[in-house]
């Protein structure tokens, strides 16, 4: 089963305590340096994370949270998931650079 265009389920693990936070990545919000994600709980700026995108095949990439904020779930379109009440910006770490080509292919496979 394919995810809706531009949205991919995933999980975010923090480097400090291995806490797992469910995440939904919005692939249209990705650049060579990072991506925006929706998450179910807030996460501190500066936290090292490992993001694993789940479909169509697992892709894991390391990063750091550069911003996080709550958004108004009432502003969502009909059918959008209200479970994820926070948005965060993840900056990819330098060691993640080898995964960027795979990330590009990954994004293309979702279209």
């Amino acid at each position: 089963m394919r995810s809706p265009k531009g949205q991919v389920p995933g999980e975010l693990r923090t480097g400090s305590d291995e806490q797992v936070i469910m995440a939904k990545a919005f692939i249209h919000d990705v650049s060579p340096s990072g991506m925006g994600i929706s998450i179910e709980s807030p996460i501190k700026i500066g936290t090292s994370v490992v993001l694993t995108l789940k479909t169509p095949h697992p892709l894991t990439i390391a990063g750091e949270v550069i911003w996080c904020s709550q958004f108004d779930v009432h502003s969502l379109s009909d059918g959008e998931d209200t479970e994820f009440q926070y948005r965060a910006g993840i900056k990819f770490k330098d060691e993640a650079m080898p995964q960027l080509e795979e990330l590009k292919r990954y994004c293309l496979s979702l279209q």
Side-chain angles (χ1 to χ4, degrees):
M1 180 172 111
R2 289 181 75 132
S3 298
K5 184 177 180 183
Q7 298 182 21
V8 178
E11 65 182 31
L12 200 66
R13 292 185 181 272
T14 64
S16 58
D17 57 9
E18 290 300 314
Q19 173 187 7
V20 176
I21 298 172
M22 295 312 295
K24 185 175 284 183
F26 288 87
I27 296 301
H28 62 269
D29 191 8
V30 66
S31 75
S33 60
M35 75 175 8
I37 61 170
S38 293
I39 53 179
E40 62 186 8
S41 59
I43 190 166
K44 258 185 171 176
I45 294 170
T47 301
S48 291
V49 296
V50 174
L51 175 65
T52 301
L53 303 175
K54 299 284 189 169
T55 60
H57 55 80
L59 173 65
T60 300
I61 194 160
E64 179 181 328
V65 177
I66 57 171
W67 62 267
C68 182
S69 61
Q70 188 171 18
F71 64 87
D72 180 7
V73 295
H74 301 295
S75 67
L76 297 174
S77 300
D78 287 339
E80 284 191 74
D81 198 338
T82 58
E83 177 182 358
F84 302 95
Q85 296 183 23
Y86 293 85
R87 291 262 303 145
I90 307 296
K91 179 182 177 187
F92 299 140
K93 292 194 172 186
D94 289 340
E95 61 265 23
M97 293 304 135
Q99 282 96 346
L100 288 183
E101 280 304 314
E102 185 176 356
L103 181 61
K104 287 179 192 175
R105 288 190 301 275
Y106 188 94
C107 291
L108 289 173
S109 74
L110 297 174
Q111 296 179 351

